[in-house]
Amino acid sequence: MSTAREGNVDGGGMPHPEPRADDPDAVLRDGRRLDHAEGASKPLRLASDPRPEPQPRGARVHGDRPIDQAEAAARFIAAPEHEKMHDERLWDLRQKRDREMHGIPEWEELRSLASAIKEHTLSHLDKYLDQFEANARSNGIHVHWARDAAEHNQIVHAILRDHGATSVIKSKSMLTEECGFRPYMASVGVEVIETDLGERIQQLDNEDPSHVVVPAVHKLRTDVARVFSRTIGTDPGDSDVHYLAEAQRDATRPLILKADAGMTGCNFAVAETGTFVVCTNEGNADLSANVPKLHIASIGIEKIIPRLEHLAVFIRLLSRSALGSPITQYTSHFRGPRRGGEMHVVLVDNGRSERLGMEEFWTSLKCIRCGACMNTCPVYRRSGGLSYGATYSGPIGLIIDPTFNAHKYSNLPFASTLNGSCSDVCPVKINIHEQIYAWRRVLVERHEAPLAKRAAMKAAGALLSRPAAYRAAIAAANIALAHLPRFVIYNRLNAWGKHRELPHPPKQTFHSWHQANRGAKQ
Amino acid sequence: MSSRDDILASIRANLPRVDRRLPFVPAFDDEPPASLLDAFKVTLHRMGGIFLDPTAAGDIRAKIASANVVCSVVPEIPGTRDIAAIDAPRDLADVDFAIVRASFAVAETGSVLLSETDLRVNAVAYLAQHLIVLLDHTDIVLNLHHAYRRPEFRDGHYACFHTGPSATADIEGVLIHGAQGVRSLSILPMARSAGDQTH
């Protein structure tokens, strides 16, 4: 088997040598390090600093004003311990994904199938939603429809009120994040308890998830120790990960047992059977669904797939792409309420049907939220998910977020090198980097591009359309670069002068060299 | 208009004008491993599960015998908590060992399927500290394509693939077994009794 070890031998940008058997954090089985679920394939621990580095916070959000991703990213980069762990941890997930990919000869065929199934379903979405609803109802599931986030929250609130429910345990759902579900429930006096460890950490720290699969990946263990000491009473000086996880288990268990209702999201909804499927590693969706009598699932309308045979394709791709694990620890299939229980699903549009009509962007609805594009993205790995100031971060976020608010998220499509790695790893073959590029054009056309970029593009456009002016400008720029004082070149108006030295100007441009050497001979 | 009608109307107005046929999904079973059981064991161990060889079965029986609360849903091994007498799932919160039988297993992923019929009370497989799953070695299918042809997904209301124990590595990638659910999952190979014709 090809392992991550090989990746280390040829460098791969990872500073760690062979995995150490003496890593105190490792779980060994048959003498080998276990790295299933989102477990790291090698030791990542940093030198423990007696004074832990404070956690950099995410983007500053001012109402509807454009998010300054670069500003938040700069603060993340300025916290080297956080940046290094984040970068290495996500790159490790990417390498684990590659290992799994090489283990399955039909990998590329599965990707093509997944893409084709999704494109077929999305272009017949009305029919399959109708079929899902009819089958779910005949299995005894109550089906609700929500046009937007507000309606979703009101529907769930109404169901809870009917049952006199005041506490809800829930598993992770990006859709409920999108809907601002927790703040809404807090405003109406319903207690919501996240049961995924990473999501619970983020809830207790009053911070959004920074990644669709590993919500607290931007935090170090010392950050978690600080949050838990403040909220669930752990020893502030003890940042042992096993201790922290156990303390959280002990603190959450009583809340799970006394909760009035459970909520889950949905990874896939199967039209032919009315089944919805939830994938977790912690088994927390199964606790949320199976302990309280009432189970409510929030389902984005794009989660539909036609048949059970299609589910096999997606389950084989999801966890391998996300975490480099053959499958999540739990893959739960809900087809109807259990005896004595009650089950509701809320089918949520919230902009999806409109996105379906966007010729260049509708295929973003194929996304299965695996996070592979985030794990591979050099910008995401270095800047942290919270720098995007939006529900969806990383490459997929760049093309989804502007559909919610093109003004507020107008900077995001520029947070990419367009290297295309996101498209290469996408299990459903979304042309992510091409859509990022297309969004830049759309935003410029809508005059939503950042002012400095607009001014620069306009000047460049004028210059590039006139050869003589271009040559004069290049000659002048080369002279200028060689002679201008540093403060003129490296200032805040010139983004190309940030964090890098500009190249030494050539003594002669190609054009003038050609004139002197070849031009004369003709 | 109702929200349902609104959403469906909006979808119809926006449907991409493309012709995409539903593809045929093969079973990818041209080159099966020599032994499904061996393939299952390898992946199960990678996923943090434990396969109890017949030699280890005695140890686990001793552990079960010394445990405080054992909830068995199978006739082969007796327990101390009668699942039939459980009123509410939370009454299972103090269970040390739960013992159930899998509907079937998947060699590709090292998974076992536990359905509502297997569990009787679904929560027993999540609230217990440790889970022991009996498996008949003839109940192993090659991969997920074969798994999803099984009747459990069409007949029942609940079925879940368990692949190893409850796990997390949400903090710095450090792997933890027993995040919220069971701390361990052990597979005990045991043939179905002649009378057990449910599958």
Side-chain angles (χ1 to χ4, degrees), chain A residues 247-301:
Chain A
Q248 184 274 155
R249 177 186 168 102
D250 288 346
T252 307
R253 182 56 74 105
L255 305 175
I256 291 174
L257 294 176
K258 78 166 183 57
D260 300 319
M263 274 188 79
T264 65
C266 161
N267 291 89
F268 307 101
V270 185
E272 72 164 338
T273 55
T275 306
F276 59 94
V277 181
V278 185
C279 304
T280 75
N281 282 320
E282 303 186 13
N284 55 314
D286 300 280
L287 283 164
S288 302
N290 288 319
V291 176
K293 277 194 171 156
L294 175 62
H295 175 193
I296 306 168
S298 302
I299 304 178
I301 55 173

CSV table of all heavy atoms in Angstrom, one decimal, chain A residues 247-301:
chain,number,residue,atom,x,y,z
A,247,ALA,N,-13.5,14.8,29.1
A,247,ALA,CA,-14.3,15.8,29.9
A,247,ALA,C,-15.5,16.3,29.1
A,247,ALA,O,-16.6,16.4,29.7
A,247,ALA,CB,-13.4,17.0,30.2
A,248,GLN,N,-15.4,16.4,27.8
A,248,GLN,CA,-16.5,16.9,27.0
A,248,GLN,C,-17.5,15.7,26.9
A,248,GLN,O,-18.8,16.0,27.0
A,248,GLN,CB,-16.0,17.2,25.6
A,248,GLN,CG,-17.0,17.8,24.7
A,248,GLN,CD,-17.8,16.7,23.9
A,248,GLN,OE1,-18.9,16.9,23.5
A,248,GLN,NE2,-17.2,15.5,23.8
A,249,ARG,N,-17.1,14.5,26.8
A,249,ARG,CA,-18.0,13.4,26.8
A,249,ARG,C,-18.9,13.3,28.1
A,249,ARG,O,-20.1,13.2,28.0
A,249,ARG,CB,-17.2,12.1,26.6
A,249,ARG,CG,-18.1,10.8,26.7
A,249,ARG,CD,-17.2,9.5,26.6
A,249,ARG,NE,-17.9,8.3,26.9
A,249,ARG,CZ,-18.3,7.4,26.0
A,249,ARG,NH1,-18.0,7.6,24.8
A,249,ARG,NH2,-19.0,6.4,26.4
A,250,ASP,N,-18.1,13.5,29.2
A,250,ASP,CA,-18.8,13.5,30.5
A,250,ASP,C,-19.8,14.6,30.6
A,250,ASP,O,-20.9,14.5,31.2
A,250,ASP,CB,-17.8,13.5,31.6
A,250,ASP,CG,-17.0,12.2,31.8
A,250,ASP,OD1,-17.5,11.2,31.2
A,250,ASP,OD2,-16.0,12.2,32.4
A,251,ALA,N,-19.4,15.8,30.1
A,251,ALA,CA,-20.3,17.0,30.3
A,251,ALA,C,-21.5,16.9,29.4
A,251,ALA,O,-22.6,17.4,29.7
A,251,ALA,CB,-19.5,18.2,30.0
A,252,THR,N,-21.3,16.3,28.2
A,252,THR,CA,-22.4,16.3,27.2
A,252,THR,C,-23.4,15.1,27.5
A,252,THR,O,-24.6,15.3,27.2
A,252,THR,CB,-21.9,16.2,25.8
A,252,THR,OG1,-20.9,17.2,25.6
A,252,THR,CG2,-23.0,16.4,24.7
A,253,ARG,N,-23.0,14.0,28.0
A,253,ARG,CA,-23.8,12.8,28.2
A,253,ARG,C,-25.1,13.2,28.9
A,253,ARG,O,-26.2,12.8,28.4
A,253,ARG,CB,-23.0,11.7,28.9
A,253,ARG,CG,-23.7,10.4,29.1
A,253,ARG,CD,-24.3,9.8,27.8
A,253,ARG,NE,-23.3,9.2,26.9
A,253,ARG,CZ,-23.1,7.8,26.8
A,253,ARG,NH1,-23.8,7.0,27.5
A,253,ARG,NH2,-22.3,7.4,25.9
A,254,PRO,N,-25.1,13.9,30.0
A,254,PRO,CA,-26.3,14.2,30.7
A,254,PRO,C,-27.3,15.0,29.9
A,254,PRO,O,-28.5,14.9,30.0
A,254,PRO,CB,-25.9,14.9,32.0
A,254,PRO,CG,-24.5,14.7,32.1
A,254,PRO,CD,-23.9,14.4,30.8
A,255,LEU,N,-26.7,15.9,29.1
A,255,LEU,CA,-27.5,16.8,28.2
A,255,LEU,C,-28.2,16.0,27.1
A,255,LEU,O,-29.4,16.2,26.8
A,255,LEU,CB,-26.7,17.9,27.6
A,255,LEU,CG,-25.9,18.8,28.5
A,255,LEU,CD1,-25.0,19.7,27.8
A,255,LEU,CD2,-26.8,19.5,29.5
A,256,ILE,N,-27.5,14.9,26.6
A,256,ILE,CA,-28.1,14.0,25.6
A,256,ILE,C,-29.3,13.3,26.2
A,256,ILE,O,-30.3,13.1,25.6
A,256,ILE,CB,-27.0,13.1,25.1
A,256,ILE,CG1,-26.0,13.8,24.3
A,256,ILE,CG2,-27.6,11.9,24.3
A,256,ILE,CD1,-24.8,13.0,23.8
A,257,LEU,N,-29.1,12.8,27.5
A,257,LEU,CA,-30.1,12.0,28.1
A,257,LEU,C,-31.4,12.7,28.4
A,257,LEU,O,-32.4,12.2,28.4
A,257,LEU,CB,-29.5,11.3,29.4
A,257,LEU,CG,-28.4,10.3,29.1
A,257,LEU,CD1,-27.8,9.8,30.4
A,257,LEU,CD2,-28.9,9.1,28.2
A,258,LYS,N,-31.2,14.0,28.7
A,258,LYS,CA,-32.4,14.8,29.1
A,258,LYS,C,-33.0,15.6,28.0
A,258,LYS,O,-34.1,16.3,28.2
A,258,LYS,CB,-32.1,15.6,30.4
A,258,LYS,CG,-31.4,16.9,30.1
A,258,LYS,CD,-31.4,17.8,31.3
A,258,LYS,CE,-30.7,19.2,31.0
A,258,LYS,NZ,-31.3,19.9,29.9
A,259,ALA,N,-32.4,15.6,26.8
A,259,ALA,CA,-32.9,16.5,25.8
A,259,ALA,C,-34.4,16.1,25.3
A,259,ALA,O,-34.7,14.9,25.3
A,259,ALA,CB,-32.0,16.4,24.6
A,260,ASP,N,-35.1,17.1,24.9
A,260,ASP,CA,-36.5,16.8,24.5
A,260,ASP,C,-36.6,16.4,23.0
A,260,ASP,O,-37.6,15.8,22.6
A,260,ASP,CB,-37.4,18.1,24.7
A,260,ASP,CG,-37.4,18.6,26.1
A,260,ASP,OD1,-37.5,17.7,27.0
A,260,ASP,OD2,-37.3,19.8,26.4
A,261,ALA,N,-35.6,16.8,22.2
A,261,ALA,CA,-35.7,16.6,20.8
A,261,ALA,C,-34.3,16.4,20.3
A,261,ALA,O,-33.3,16.9,20.9
A,261,ALA,CB,-36.4,17.7,20.1
A,262,GLY,N,-34.2,15.7,19.1
A,262,GLY,CA,-32.9,15.6,18.4
A,262,GLY,C,-33.0,16.1,17.0
A,262,GLY,O,-34.0,16.0,16.4
A,263,MET,N,-31.8,16.7,16.6
A,263,MET,CA,-31.8,17.2,15.2
A,263,MET,C,-30.6,16.7,14.5
A,263,MET,O,-29.5,16.5,15.1
A,263,MET,CB,-31.8,18.7,15.2
A,263,MET,CG,-33.1,19.4,15.2
A,263,MET,SD,-33.0,21.1,14.9
A,263,MET,CE,-32.9,21.2,13.2
A,264,THR,N,-30.7,16.4,13.2
A,264,THR,CA,-29.6,16.0,12.4
A,264,THR,C,-29.7,16.8,11.1
A,264,THR,O,-30.7,17.4,10.7
A,264,THR,CB,-29.6,14.5,12.0
A,264,THR,OG1,-30.7,14.2,11.2
A,264,THR,CG2,-29.6,13.6,13.3
A,265,GLY,N,-28.5,16.8,10.4
A,265,GLY,CA,-28.6,17.3,9.0
A,265,GLY,C,-28.8,16.1,8.1
A,265,GLY,O,-29.5,15.1,8.5
A,266,CYS,N,-28.3,16.1,6.9
A,266,CYS,CA,-28.5,15.0,5.9
A,266,CYS,C,-27.4,15.1,4.9
A,266,CYS,O,-27.1,16.2,4.4
A,266,CYS,CB,-29.8,15.2,5.3
A,266,CYS,SG,-30.0,14.3,3.7
A,267,ASN,N,-26.7,14.0,4.6
A,267,ASN,CA,-25.7,13.9,3.6
A,267,ASN,C,-26.3,13.6,2.2
A,267,ASN,O,-26.0,14.1,1.2
A,267,ASN,CB,-24.6,13.0,3.9
A,267,ASN,CG,-23.8,13.4,5.1
A,267,ASN,OD1,-24.1,13.1,6.2
A,267,ASN,ND2,-22.7,14.2,4.8
A,268,PHE,N,-27.3,12.6,2.2
A,268,PHE,CA,-27.9,12.2,1.0
A,268,PHE,C,-29.4,11.8,1.3
A,268,PHE,O,-29.6,11.2,2.4
A,268,PHE,CB,-27.2,10.9,0.4
A,268,PHE,CG,-25.7,11.1,0.2
A,268,PHE,CD1,-24.8,10.6,1.2
A,268,PHE,CD2,-25.2,11.9,-0.8
A,268,PHE,CE1,-23.5,10.9,1.0
A,268,PHE,CE2,-23.9,12.1,-0.9
A,268,PHE,CZ,-23.0,11.6,0.0
A,269,ALA,N,-30.3,12.1,0.4
A,269,ALA,CA,-31.7,11.8,0.6
A,269,ALA,C,-32.1,10.9,-0.7
A,269,ALA,O,-31.9,11.4,-1.8
A,269,ALA,CB,-32.6,13.0,0.7
A,270,VAL,N,-32.6,9.7,-0.4
A,270,VAL,CA,-32.8,8.8,-1.5
A,270,VAL,C,-34.3,8.8,-1.9
A,270,VAL,O,-35.2,8.5,-1.2
A,270,VAL,CB,-32.4,7.3,-1.1
A,270,VAL,CG1,-32.5,6.4,-2.3
A,270,VAL,CG2,-31.0,7.3,-0.6
A,271,ALA,N,-34.5,9.3,-3.2
A,271,ALA,CA,-35.9,9.5,-3.6
A,271,ALA,C,-36.7,8.2,-3.6
A,271,ALA,O,-37.8,8.1,-3.2
A,271,ALA,CB,-35.9,10.1,-5.0
A,272,GLU,N,-36.1,7.1,-4.1
A,272,GLU,CA,-36.9,5.9,-4.3
A,272,GLU,C,-37.4,5.2,-3.0
A,272,GLU,O,-38.3,4.4,-3.0
A,272,GLU,CB,-36.2,4.8,-5.2
A,272,GLU,CG,-35.0,4.1,-4.4
A,272,GLU,CD,-34.5,2.9,-5.1
A,272,GLU,OE1,-35.3,2.3,-5.9
A,272,GLU,OE2,-33.4,2.5,-4.8
A,273,THR,N,-36.7,5.5,-1.9
A,273,THR,CA,-37.1,4.9,-0.6
A,273,THR,C,-37.6,5.9,0.4
A,273,THR,O,-38.0,5.5,1.5
A,273,THR,CB,-35.9,4.1,0.0
A,273,THR,OG1,-34.8,5.0,0.1
A,273,THR,CG2,-35.6,2.9,-0.9
A,274,GLY,N,-37.3,7.2,0.2
A,274,GLY,CA,-37.7,8.2,1.2
A,274,GLY,C,-36.7,8.2,2.4
A,274,GLY,O,-37.1,8.6,3.5
A,275,THR,N,-35.5,7.6,2.1
A,275,THR,CA,-34.5,7.5,3.2
A,275,THR,C,-33.6,8.8,3.2
A,275,THR,O,-33.3,9.3,2.1
A,275,THR,CB,-33.6,6.3,2.9
A,275,THR,OG1,-34.4,5.1,2.7
A,275,THR,CG2,-32.6,6.1,4.0
A,276,PHE,N,-33.2,9.2,4.4
A,276,PHE,CA,-32.1,10.2,4.4
A,276,PHE,C,-30.9,9.6,5.2
A,276,PHE,O,-31.1,8.8,6.1
A,276,PHE,CB,-32.5,11.5,4.9
A,276,PHE,CG,-33.1,11.6,6.3
A,276,PHE,CD1,-32.3,11.8,7.4
A,276,PHE,CD2,-34.4,11.4,6.5
A,276,PHE,CE1,-32.8,11.9,8.7
A,276,PHE,CE2,-35.0,11.4,7.8
A,276,PHE,CZ,-34.1,11.7,8.9
A,277,VAL,N,-29.7,9.9,4.8
A,277,VAL,CA,-28.5,9.3,5.3
A,277,VAL,C,-27.6,10.4,5.9
A,277,VAL,O,-27.5,11.4,5.4
A,277,VAL,CB,-27.7,8.6,4.1
A,277,VAL,CG1,-26.5,7.9,4.6
A,277,VAL,CG2,-28.7,7.6,3.4
A,278,VAL,N,-27.1,10.0,7.1
A,278,VAL,CA,-26.2,10.9,7.8
A,278,VAL,C,-24.9,10.2,8.1
A,278,VAL,O,-24.9,9.1,8.6
A,278,VAL,CB,-26.9,11.4,9.1
A,278,VAL,CG1,-26.0,12.5,9.8
A,278,VAL,CG2,-28.3,12.0,8.9
A,279,CYS,N,-23.8,10.9,7.8
A,279,CYS,CA,-22.5,10.3,8.1
A,279,CYS,C,-21.8,11.0,9.2
A,279,CYS,O,-21.6,12.2,9.1
A,279,CYS,CB,-21.7,10.4,6.8
A,279,CYS,SG,-22.5,9.6,5.4
A,280,THR,N,-21.4,10.3,10.2
A,280,THR,CA,-20.6,10.9,11.3
A,280,THR,C,-19.5,9.9,11.8
A,280,THR,O,-19.6,8.7,11.5
A,280,THR,CB,-21.4,11.3,12.6
A,280,THR,OG1,-21.8,10.1,13.3
A,280,THR,CG2,-22.7,12.0,12.2
A,281,ASN,N,-18.5,10.4,12.5
A,281,ASN,CA,-17.5,9.6,13.1
A,281,ASN,C,-17.8,9.3,14.5
A,281,ASN,O,-17.3,8.4,15.1
A,281,ASN,CB,-16.1,10.2,12.9
A,281,ASN,CG,-15.6,10.0,11.5
A,281,ASN,OD1,-15.8,9.0,10.9
A,281,ASN,ND2,-15.0,11.1,11.0
A,282,GLU,N,-18.6,10.2,15.2
A,282,GLU,CA,-18.7,10.1,16.6
A,282,GLU,C,-20.0,9.3,17.0
A,282,GLU,O,-20.2,9.0,18.2
A,282,GLU,CB,-18.8,11.5,17.2
A,282,GLU,CG,-17.5,12.3,16.9
A,282,GLU,CD,-17.5,13.6,17.6
A,282,GLU,OE1,-18.2,13.9,18.5
A,282,GLU,OE2,-16.6,14.5,17.1
A,283,GLY,N,-20.9,9.0,16.0
A,283,GLY,CA,-22.1,8.4,16.4
A,283,GLY,C,-23.1,9.3,17.0
A,283,GLY,O,-24.1,8.9,17.6
A,284,ASN,N,-22.8,10.6,16.9
A,284,ASN,CA,-23.6,11.6,17.6
A,284,ASN,C,-24.9,11.9,16.9
A,284,ASN,O,-25.9,12.2,17.6
A,284,ASN,CB,-22.8,12.9,17.8
A,284,ASN,CG,-22.3,13.5,16.5
A,284,ASN,OD1,-21.7,12.8,15.7
A,284,ASN,ND2,-22.5,14.8,16.3
A,285,ALA,N,-25.0,11.6,15.6
A,285,ALA,CA,-26.2,11.8,14.9
A,285,ALA,C,-27.2,10.7,15.4
A,285,ALA,O,-28.4,10.9,15.5
A,285,ALA,CB,-26.1,11.7,13.4
A,286,ASP,N,-26.6,9.5,15.6
A,286,ASP,CA,-27.5,8.4,16.1
A,286,ASP,C,-28.0,8.6,17.5
A,286,ASP,O,-29.1,8.2,17.8
A,286,ASP,CB,-26.7,7.1,15.9
A,286,ASP,CG,-26.3,6.8,14.5
A,286,ASP,OD1,-27.1,6.4,13.7
A,286,ASP,OD2,-25.1,7.2,14.2
A,287,LEU,N,-27.1,9.2,18.3
A,287,LEU,CA,-27.6,9.6,19.7
A,287,LEU,C,-28.7,10.6,19.6
A,287,LEU,O,-29.8,10.5,20.2
A,287,LEU,CB,-26.4,10.1,20.5
A,287,LEU,CG,-25.5,9.0,21.1
A,287,LEU,CD1,-24.2,9.7,21.5
A,287,LEU,CD2,-26.1,8.2,22.2
A,288,SER,N,-28.5,11.6,18.7
A,288,SER,CA,-29.5,12.7,18.6
A,288,SER,C,-30.8,12.2,18.1
A,288,SER,O,-31.9,12.6,18.5
A,288,SER,CB,-29.0,13.8,17.7
A,288,SER,OG,-27.7,14.3,18.1
A,289,ALA,N,-30.7,11.2,17.2
A,289,ALA,CA,-31.9,10.7,16.5
A,289,ALA,C,-32.6,9.6,17.4
A,289,ALA,O,-33.8,9.5,17.3
A,289,ALA,CB,-31.6,10.1,15.2
A,290,ASN,N,-31.8,8.9,18.2
A,290,ASN,CA,-32.4,7.7,18.8
A,290,ASN,C,-32.6,7.8,20.3
A,290,ASN,O,-33.2,6.9,20.9
A,290,ASN,CB,-31.5,6.5,18.5
A,290,ASN,CG,-31.5,6.0,17.1
A,290,ASN,OD1,-32.6,5.9,16.5
A,290,ASN,ND2,-30.4,5.7,16.5
A,291,VAL,N,-32.2,8.8,20.9
A,291,VAL,CA,-32.5,9.0,22.4
A,291,VAL,C,-33.8,9.7,22.6
A,291,VAL,O,-34.7,9.2,23.2
A,291,VAL,CB,-31.2,9.5,23.1
A,291,VAL,CG1,-31.6,9.7,24.6
A,291,VAL,CG2,-30.1,8.6,23.0
A,292,PRO,N,-33.9,11.0,22.1
A,292,PRO,CA,-35.2,11.6,22.3
A,292,PRO,C,-36.3,11.0,21.4
A,292,PRO,O,-36.0,10.4,20.4
A,292,PRO,CB,-34.9,13.1,21.9
A,292,PRO,CG,-33.5,13.2,21.8
A,292,PRO,CD,-33.0,11.8,21.4
A,293,LYS,N,-37.5,11.3,21.8
A,293,LYS,CA,-38.6,10.7,21.0
A,293,LYS,C,-38.8,11.4,19.6
A,293,LYS,O,-39.3,10.9,18.7
A,293,LYS,CB,-40.0,10.9,21.7
A,293,LYS,CG,-40.2,9.7,22.7
A,293,LYS,CD,-41.6,9.7,23.2
A,293,LYS,CE,-41.8,8.4,24.0
A,293,LYS,NZ,-42.9,8.5,25.0
A,294,LEU,N,-38.4,12.7,19.6
A,294,LEU,CA,-38.7,13.5,18.4
A,294,LEU,C,-37.4,13.8,17.6
A,294,LEU,O,-36.3,14.2,18.2
A,294,LEU,CB,-39.2,14.9,18.9
A,294,LEU,CG,-39.5,16.0,17.9
A,294,LEU,CD1,-40.5,15.6,16.8
A,294,LEU,CD2,-39.9,17.3,18.6
A,295,HIS,N,-37.4,13.5,16.3
A,295,HIS,CA,-36.2,13.7,15.5
A,295,HIS,C,-36.6,14.6,14.3
A,295,HIS,O,-37.5,14.3,13.6
A,295,HIS,CB,-35.7,12.3,15.0
A,295,HIS,CG,-34.6,12.4,14.0
A,295,HIS,ND1,-34.2,11.3,13.2
A,295,HIS,CD2,-33.8,13.4,13.6
A,295,HIS,CE1,-33.2,11.6,12.4
A,295,HIS,NE2,-32.9,12.9,12.6
A,296,ILE,N,-35.9,15.7,14.2
A,296,ILE,CA,-36.1,16.6,13.1
A,296,ILE,C,-34.8,16.6,12.2
A,296,ILE,O,-33.7,16.8,12.8
A,296,ILE,CB,-36.4,18.0,13.6
A,296,ILE,CG1,-37.6,18.0,14.5
A,296,ILE,CG2,-36.7,19.0,12.4
A,296,ILE,CD1,-37.8,19.3,15.3
A,297,ALA,N,-34.9,16.5,10.9
A,297,ALA,CA,-33.8,16.6,10.0
A,297,ALA,C,-33.9,17.7,9.1
A,297,ALA,O,-35.0,17.9,8.4
A,297,ALA,CB,-33.6,15.3,9.3
A,298,SER,N,-32.9,18.5,9.0
A,298,SER,CA,-32.8,19.7,8.0
A,298,SER,C,-32.1,19.2,6.8
A,298,SER,O,-31.0,18.7,6.8
A,298,SER,CB,-32.1,20.9,8.6
A,298,SER,OG,-32.7,21.3,9.8
A,299,ILE,N,-32.8,19.3,5.6
A,299,ILE,CA,-32.2,18.8,4.4
A,299,ILE,C,-32.3,19.8,3.3
A,299,ILE,O,-33.3,20.3,2.9
A,299,ILE,CB,-33.1,17.5,3.9
A,299,ILE,CG1,-33.1,16.5,5.0
A,299,ILE,CG2,-32.5,17.0,2.6
A,299,ILE,CD1,-33.9,15.2,4.7
A,300,GLY,N,-31.1,20.1,2.7
A,300,GLY,CA,-31.0,21.0,1.6
A,300,GLY,C,-31.6,20.3,0.4
A,300,GLY,O,-31.3,19.1,0.2
A,301,ILE,N,-32.3,21.0,-0.5
A,301,ILE,CA,-33.0,20.3,-1.6
A,301,ILE,C,-32.1,19.6,-2.6
A,301,ILE,O,-32.4,18.8,-3.4
A,301,ILE,CB,-34.0,21.2,-2.3
A,301,ILE,CG1,-33.3,22.5,-2.8
A,301,ILE,CG2,-35.2,21.5,-1.5
A,301,ILE,CD1,-34.2,23.3,-3.7
